Amino acid sequence: METKGKNRKVAGRGMTVTLEMKKRIRSLRHSANLNIDSLADKSEVSERTLKKIESPKSRQKRFDEDVLMKIAKALNISFDELSGKQRQYKQEDNSVHFEFLAEQFREIDRMLLPLIRDHRHAGQRLIEHAYRGLLSQCLQEREIDLEQINQGLRDPVKRNAFIEGLPRPGLTVDVSEDFDEISYKYPPNEMLTVKSPQLLWDCHCDTPSTKQNDFECPIHSQSSGEEVDRRFSNGYVLIRYRDIEFYWRSSQELWPPSVDSFYMMEAMKTDGLFTKKYDSVLDIGSGTGFLGIMTACCNPYITEITLSDWLLTPYLYGTTNWFLNRKSREHIRLKTNTALFTKGLDSLAKPYDIAICNPPYLPLLDGFDEIGLESTVAGTDLLTDIILRNKDLADRIYLQFSSLSEPEAQIAQEKAGLKLRPVGEEKLVPFRMRILWEKADYLEMLIKERGLVEKNNSRHRFWHRLQTYVIE
Ligand SMILES: C[S@@+](CC[C@H](N)C(=O)[O-])C[C@H]1O[C@@H](n2cnc3c(N)ncnc32)[C@H](O)[C@@H]1O
């Protein structure tokens, strides 16, 4: 309940909002693209109270816990995360606690993202330098040592405690082997099934067109649709595919294994990924670790898996997902690398047997710099870097990309003097990116220049083609 007046008393349980908490609220609000006004709408807390909470001057004031809970909910985080209670979980004995790290890493990632995406003001070298500096400064300030975490997880007692301490997922998403059915399950025994899905989250409700209103949403047309939506967008989710489980939580720092990842897996399997004698696999831009972990679990010859991504949240989820699924595969060694592109892997004496990469594919078109800044899915720099590095990385490289980034891939192939060979089928898939719904000009350019397909007689309005390739 909110209270009014200058010398108001806090009704219910009150809490002093520390300066650190104020900064956290402001930074989460900014990264969720919310101004005070829109947060007020979303949380049902008045603008005036929100301003006071964020203001450094009101440091000594107490605020109603119910109000803070509403803010946490609107920002899609738990109350403990908002108040920083997880900090107490970092224990003296260096045991590793998932939620503590998840919160710290999200804060760091949200500082790294604007820096690494800002290609307007700085060249790549400068960005790399600044990225390394900021990453190590943020880790040092928080007294977090990634090597120590990795070491802690090698200890079976600490590892079990870490896995057992994972927050319980509110939703399990079962994806059938050929991606022809997805079931969303939540306690006690609720289940929503989507047949012949076109996306992992096959909803078209927010498409900016009335024509799409004629079609029923396979999720929201069902009675449990809203509840499944709430659980999918706000909490921990377990995505299950071929008996392998991936822990994931919706955030801009972490891609779920999406339709791209499932189709890429299928194409690589057709090409013999699970049966050929490969020893080591490198997953670049690993996200939840889906592609690398699936490979390590399904190919019986693998003895080493490396997950590499530029953000810390993927490092945490990739590591967690590996230990969730490792089971009796104790002979397989996990390595992690937090770096831009494939930096940090340079010191390897020999290339990997296979490298796999499902890079972002949204082109940065002239005049649309802000797309790169606002979105983690924009930019084709990882795609071109992999093509240019090719044989230094691995004996065989699998790469998937969208028809939207074909020109960049073509230029890189010409520079590298090689030709990518398509494997598996080309797939036409819906292109559904909420951040672009407001950017009609950019969508128009994608249609004109990059072959984005617009269909008015279909449930999804925009479509693009995905193809997996191999560099041998
Ligand atoms: C499309 S997601 C793929 C995630 C995962 N491999 C999958 O298929 O489910 C792309 C991933 O690449 C990472 N990434 C993007 N640009 C990168 C770069 N320049 N260096 C390293 N990682 C990058 C992102 O953080 C993200 O996790």
Side-chain angles (χ1 to χ4, degrees):
M1 187 202 301
E2 282 186 57
T3 48
K4 294 195 175 103
K6 210 174 172 197
N7 298 315
R8 83 211 192 301
K9 285 216 171 69
V10 170
R13 292 156 301 159
M15 178 172 189
T16 306
V17 177
T18 60
L19 203 53
E20 203 183 331
M21 225 170 129
K22 289 172 187 292
K23 277 193 205 149
R24 191 170 312 126
I25 294 172
R26 195 168 33 248
S27 112
L28 286 166
R29 178 170 66 71
H30 284 159
S31 52
N33 256 336
L34 295 170
N35 56 26
I36 292 271
D37 192 18
S38 38
L39 181 60
D41 281 350
K42 209 169 166 205
S43 61
E44 295 176 2
V45 172
S46 73
E47 275 181 52
R48 194 159 161 255
T49 306
L50 287 172
K51 277 186 191 150
K52 270 194 195 153
I53 290 178
E54 282 193 15
S55 161
K57 285 187 201 139
S58 64
R59 202 169 353 161
Q60 302 308 327
K61 291 213 175 98
R62 287 169 73 74
F63 291 90
D64 195 323
E65 267 192 28
D66 290 343
V67 168
L68 297 170
M69 272 181 209
K70 283 185 185 173
I71 296 173
K73 194 163 170 239
L75 293 170
N76 289 342
I77 56 168
S78 68
F79 181 65
D80 278 358
E81 284 172 303
L82 186 86
S83 58
K85 273 202 189 137
Q86 273 81 4
R87 277 158 217 278
Q88 76 200 35
Y89 294 135
K90 195 180 179 202
Q91 291 157 7
E92 299 296 295
D93 64 350
N94 277 331
S95 62
V96 190
H97 194 283
F98 181 89
E99 280 191 287
F100 165 75
L101 291 176
E103 190 215 336
Q104 303 291 318
F105 288 170
R106 179 175 47 206
E107 277 180 18
I108 301 177
D109 286 347
R110 287 185 181 185
M111 286 191 254
L112 290 174
L113 272 171
L115 175 83
I116 50 192
R117 291 264 42 113
D118 194 350
H119 294 269
R120 289 175 309 178
H121 306 303
Q124 193 159 312
R125 273 178 167 239
L126 206 58
I127 291 176
E128 278 171 22
H129 185 72
Y131 163 85
R132 275 199 304 276
L134 185 58
L135 178 64
S136 67
Q137 182 198 333
C138 289
L139 287 169
Q140 257 172 32
E141 275 169 11
R142 289 166 173 78
E143 294 173 32
I144 297 176
D145 179 343
L146 297 184
E147 194 35 52
Q148 213 168 34
I149 296 174
N150 293 339
Q151 225 159 34
L153 291 172
R154 275 181 221 129
D155 172 338
V157 176
K158 286 184 185 161
R159 190 169 59 239
N160 284 348
F162 173 75
I163 295 292
E164 273 159 27
L166 289 176
R168 190 182 286 264
L171 185 73
T172 300
V173 181
D174 268 320
V175 181
S176 72
E177 204 172 313
D178 39 13
F179 205 81
D180 66 352
E181 187 173 297
I182 301 182
S183 301
Y184 305 85
K185 300 173 183 162
Y186 61 93
N189 288 311
E190 304 299 325
M191 180 160 98
L192 182 155
T193 299
V194 176
K195 303 254 185 225
S196 310
Q198 288 166 322
L199 293 169
L200 181 75
W201 185 250
D202 198 7
C203 158
H204 63 277
C205 295
D206 61 5
T207 315
S209 161
T210 45
K211 299 214 176 77
Q212 266 65 33
N213 292 345
D214 300 341
F215 296 89
E216 246 187 13
C217 170
I219 296 168
H220 294 101
S221 60
Q222 302 198 39
S223 58
S224 51
E226 285 301 332
E227 182 58 20
V228 170
D229 186 341
R230 196 182 65 74
R231 287 169 184 259
F232 188 85
S233 6
N234 290 331
Y236 290 101
V237 175
L238 199 66
I239 301 172
R240 209 153 41 199
Y241 179 62
R242 291 172 143 252
D243 287 334
I244 318 237
E245 300 183 322
F246 294 89
Y247 205 60
W248 167 76
R249 185 175 189 173
S250 173
S251 72
Q252 58 169 333
E253 301 80 35
L254 186 68
W255 284 57
S258 56
V259 67
D260 331 8
S261 329
F262 291 101
Y263 285 157
M264 185 174 185
M265 209 65 243
E266 190 182 309
M268 294 189 295
K269 183 179 160 238
T270 316
D271 199 53
L273 180 70
F274 294 170
T275 48
K276 288 187 186 158
K277 207 156 186 272
Y278 298 128
D279 204 40
S280 53
V281 54
L282 165 65
D283 181 347
I284 308 159
S286 48
T288 56
F290 178 79
L291 298 169
I293 293 173
M294 283 299 302
T295 308
C297 291
C298 296
N299 181 312
Y301 304 105
I302 298 283
T303 58
E304 187 185 306
I305 166 175
T306 302
L307 302 178
S308 184
D309 204 289
W310 60 5
L311 296 177
L312 290 165
T313 304
Y315 155 77
L316 178 65
Y317 279 77
T319 304
T320 303
N321 285 328
W322 171 244
F323 287 117
L324 266 181
N325 291 289
R326 189 183 70 154
K327 300 188 176 141
S328 60
R329 300 176 189 94
E330 279 152 17
H331 60 286
I332 305 182
R333 207 148 69 97
L334 169 73
K335 289 186 185 167
T336 49
N337 183 49
T338 303
L340 286 178
F341 304 102
T342 47
K343 297 277 169 332
L345 298 165
D346 293 353
S347 57
L348 286 169
K350 85 176 187 40
Y352 285 83
D353 286 350
I354 27 171
I356 301 177
C357 184
N358 177 23
Y361 49 69
L362 211 52
L364 295 178
L365 303 175
D366 280 349
F368 295 97
D369 290 333
E370 81 286 359
I371 305 272
L373 281 177
E374 289 167 13
S375 156
T376 48
V377 297
T380 49
D381 39 0
L382 181 59
L383 164 65
T384 53
D385 189 74
I386 301 293
I387 299 177
L388 295 173
R389 292 282 314 273
N390 66 79
K391 287 291 169 191
D392 296 355
L393 284 175
D395 292 340
R396 192 177 183 79
I397 301 170
Y398 287 106
L399 187 62
Q400 177 179 252
F401 55 87
S402 154
S403 42
L404 303 176
S405 43
E406 248 156 35
E408 285 81 2
Q410 192 55 41
I411 293 170
Q413 284 177 74
E414 279 160 21
K415 257 195 189 166
L418 58 84
K419 188 121 193 73
L420 305 182
R421 178 170 70 78
V423 293
E425 276 175 47
E426 181 185 84
K427 303 272 189 185
L428 184 68
V429 298
F431 175 83
R432 191 180 56 92
M433 287 205 187
R434 279 186 200 172
I435 58 136
L436 296 182
W437 290 165
E438 306 284 304
K439 319 265 180 204
D441 292 357
Y442 180 76
L443 285 168
E444 200 56 40
M445 287 285 261
L446 288 184
I447 294 171
K448 267 202 210 128
E449 293 187 3
R450 299 297 176 117
L452 180 71
V453 178
E454 184 170 15
K455 295 187 186 184
N456 282 326
N457 56 351
S458 134
R459 194 160 64 71
H460 289 288
R461 181 171 166 195
F462 299 109
W463 298 73
H464 65 138
R465 287 174 288 112
L466 287 176
Q467 175 72 60
T468 298
Y469 297 86
V470 66
I471 310 177
E472 295 160 304

